[in-house]
Amino acid sequence: MGEHEEAETGLKNTRLLLANPALAFQKAWTKYKNNELTLGEAARAAGCRTDSQFLELGTRYESNSKAAVPEHLWQRSTPEQQFLLLCLPPDLVEILVQISRKDLLLPKKQKYLEHLWNDLCLLRDLQLITQKDRGELYQFTLNLGH
């Protein structure tokens, strides 16, 4: 296989993983466990902003220590989203519950000061919520069922 074909295959794989965060997480976790990726590389491949987020998701995935997912979130979710919901720690599930009641608005200037920011970015990268630019604010909306 030539360099061009390898690059094209890599691009197709990247698009597939971006379209399916559950698959991206599973592949990254497997490669991390098999020492094919470093912790940081695996975390980034799975869409996690921090290594600890990736490890927490992976620990829940491995131990079957599932978060209690409210029925209204579960029913709206696709099978891939249900898998991700089961891997989430309870505090992230609670963020989704709050956003299901009312969209969350976060001032842009507090973006990097809030611990909430990393959690919201992870949920966005897992495609469980969407982020919209609203001038001085970011709006976060539930994205289940898509």
Side-chain angles (χ1 to χ4, degrees):
M1 190 182 286
E3 281 184 43
H4 178 68
E5 291 170 338
E6 282 183 29
E8 195 169 306
T9 301
L11 185 58
K12 286 179 185 176
N13 287 340
T14 300
R15 286 184 187 138
L16 172 68
L17 295 177
L18 288 174
N20 190 337
L23 179 62
F25 168 72
Q26 288 174 319
K27 284 185 172 271
W29 183 255
T30 300
K31 287 184 180 250
Y32 169 68
K33 294 284 288 187
N34 292 331
N35 292 319
E36 296 174 33
L37 290 176
T38 65
L39 177 58
E41 291 170 336
R44 284 188 300 283
C48 298
R49 292 248 182 219
T50 67
D51 296 348
S52 60
Q53 285 178 331
F54 178 72
L55 289 174
E56 188 164 13
L57 289 175
T59 302
R60 291 186 173 281
Y61 170 60
E62 289 284 318
S63 70
N64 293 324
S65 172
K66 314 285 191 224
V69 179
E71 190 65 27
H72 74 281
L73 293 179
W74 189 260
Q75 290 177 344
R76 292 178 63 179
S77 305
T78 65
E80 293 82 13
Q81 291 170 333
Q82 289 173 349
F83 166 80
L84 292 170
L85 288 172
L86 292 174
C87 293
L88 292 177
D91 57 329
L92 293 181
V93 173
E94 184 57 34
I95 291 171
L96 291 175
V97 168
Q98 295 302 319
I99 292 175
S100 74
R101 292 184 187 134
K102 186 175 181 180
D103 288 357
L104 176 67
L105 298 173
L106 183 68
K108 286 184 178 178
K109 54 184 153 186
Q110 293 182 342
K111 175 175 158 178
Y112 297 109
L113 301 175
E114 299 286 329
H115 292 288
L116 179 61
W117 181 252
N118 280 338
D119 293 339
L120 291 171
C121 287
L122 174 61
L123 293 171
R124 179 200 62 210
D125 292 345
L126 294 176
Q127 299 178 15
L128 298 173
I129 62 173
T130 57
Q131 175 185 333
K132 295 177 186 157
D133 188 339
R134 299 283 186 205
E136 296 296 316
L137 303 168
Y138 287 117
Q139 178 181 357
F140 295 92
T141 305
L142 201 61
N143 189 43
L144 297 180
H146 296 101

